[in-house]
Amino acid sequence: MRDESEFLASYDPRAYDPVAVTVDVVALTIRDGALHVLLVRRGGAPYAGMWALPGGFVHAGGRREAEDLPDAAVRELAEETGLSGKDGALGRVHLEQLGTYGAPGRDPRMRIISVAYLAFAPELPDPEAGGDAADAAWVAVDALGLTESGDQRPGTTRRLAFDHARILTDGLERARDKLEYTPLATAFCGAEFTIPELRAVYEAVWGEELHAGNFHRKVLSVPGFVESTGATSDKGGRRGGPRPRLYRAGDARLLHPALLRPSREEEIR
């Protein structure tokens, strides 16, 4: 039996169909109280002029140094949006793998498999287009006309290239689910935040209005979700009330009990 070195010396990758790998990033933040996604306008074919999620080909180690998938996601975000990398604005980003998309024909160039990532961060700055992007912008998710099936409603003016409407829809549902059973909502906040600010995150991501008192009680009843800083906000409470207390993210990895969306609570009942 040949040893591994002999096998690799005779291995011919050209005997297999060519496949390329890309990364696409669903980057979400909250601006002016609404959930926004980062989009870039494609500067070249295919789909020139259309909007898309930031992304691109993974460096496989041929003409460029090989990179891991998360590194490729961060690099593409930095290159196509002008946001600084790990030590700058993107250093505060929570990044996790969302899923893999490889349907035949999803890209007209060749068989391309995309590994999608989900990113969250608070108060990211306005992007500046770079790389092969003609423009970059934070776009309100509600303006994209997404349907539950992963399409865009007829008449939506900002059409998304490739299967990015599907990827974005999946990313939004992942984010909404994770807010129920993990402390991910704190990734949308600064290092210190008030309970009303945390509630605004839930309302923006879920698209549902929450009862202030009930939300406050539920958050503080979950062990390790948030912890008090002992300080209060510089801003006074609504209607001249006392200044709200400041909190920071706790050490919990899962929320127990979970914070369910009001619509989900009704389904369970």
Side-chain angles (χ1 to χ4, degrees):
M1 183 181 223
R2 295 185 303 170
D3 61 23
E4 187 168 339
S5 61
E6 292 177 329
F7 166 77
L8 292 176
S10 62
Y11 180 78
D12 183 7
R14 294 171 298 180
Y16 301 90
D17 293 335
V19 176
V21 178
T22 61
V23 289
D24 290 304
V25 184
V26 178
L28 301 173
T29 196
I30 295 176
R31 296 166 69 89
D32 299 323
L35 186 64
H36 283 63
V37 62
L38 186 60
L39 297 180
V40 297
R41 194 198 304 269
R42 292 184 56 78
Y47 303 111
M50 290 184 66
W51 290 87
L53 299 170
F57 288 93
V58 176
H59 294 169
R63 292 173 295 175
R64 301 178 180 178
E65 183 179 354
E67 61 185 350
D68 200 359
L69 294 172
D71 295 330
V74 172
R75 174 183 56 77
E76 285 292 340
L77 270 176
E79 288 180 357
E80 294 195 349
T81 65
L83 300 176
S84 53
K86 293 182 179 179
D87 298 327
L90 297 184
R92 298 178 289 129
V93 172
H94 168 91
L95 188 72
E96 65 177 67
Q97 193 172 124
L98 170 63
T100 304
Y101 298 81
R106 63 174 299 275
D107 192 305
R109 291 169 290 192
M110 62 180 294
R111 184 68 190 274
I112 294 179
I113 296 173
S114 180
V115 180
Y117 281 82
L118 192 56
F120 310 93
E123 301 178 355
L124 286 175
D126 290 329
E128 297 179 5
D132 56 359
D135 195 7
W138 289 107
V139 178
V141 169
D142 287 345
L144 295 173
L146 297 172
T147 68
E148 292 184 0
S149 61
D151 298 316
Q152 290 178 278
R153 289 189 290 271
T156 303
T157 56
R158 202 183 299 254
R159 309 298 295 182
L160 298 182
F162 304 103
D163 53 356
H164 287 188
R166 167 80 273 167
I167 297 175
L168 175 55
T169 299
D170 290 347
L172 292 171
E173 190 56 31
R174 167 77 70 84
R176 289 163 181 154
D177 284 346
K178 293 201 72 170
L179 258 62
E180 294 187 340
Y181 62 89
T182 77
L184 184 61
T186 59
F188 287 94
C189 299
E192 297 181 350
F193 50 85
T194 66
I195 298 299
E197 288 171 343
L198 185 65
R199 187 179 77 250
V201 170
Y202 276 87
E203 291 180 334
V205 177
W206 283 349
E208 299 185 35
E209 187 174 352
L210 304 177
H211 185 278
N214 288 344
F215 180 82
H216 194 284
R217 175 181 53 79
K218 288 179 180 179
V219 167
L220 296 186
S221 69
V222 178
F225 185 7
V226 298
E227 59 183 34
S228 175
T229 66
T232 57
S233 172
D234 293 335
K235 301 177 181 178
R238 296 181 62 185
R239 300 177 182 175
R243 292 186 297 178
R245 295 179 180 179
L246 287 173
Y247 295 84
R248 64 171 67 94
D251 58 4
R253 294 294 176 265
L254 294 174
L255 303 184
H256 185 73
L259 274 70
L260 299 181
R261 285 172 262 185
S263 57
R264 288 249 296 157
E265 287 182 335
E266 293 177 3
E267 291 176 5
I268 294 175
R269 289 173 189 165

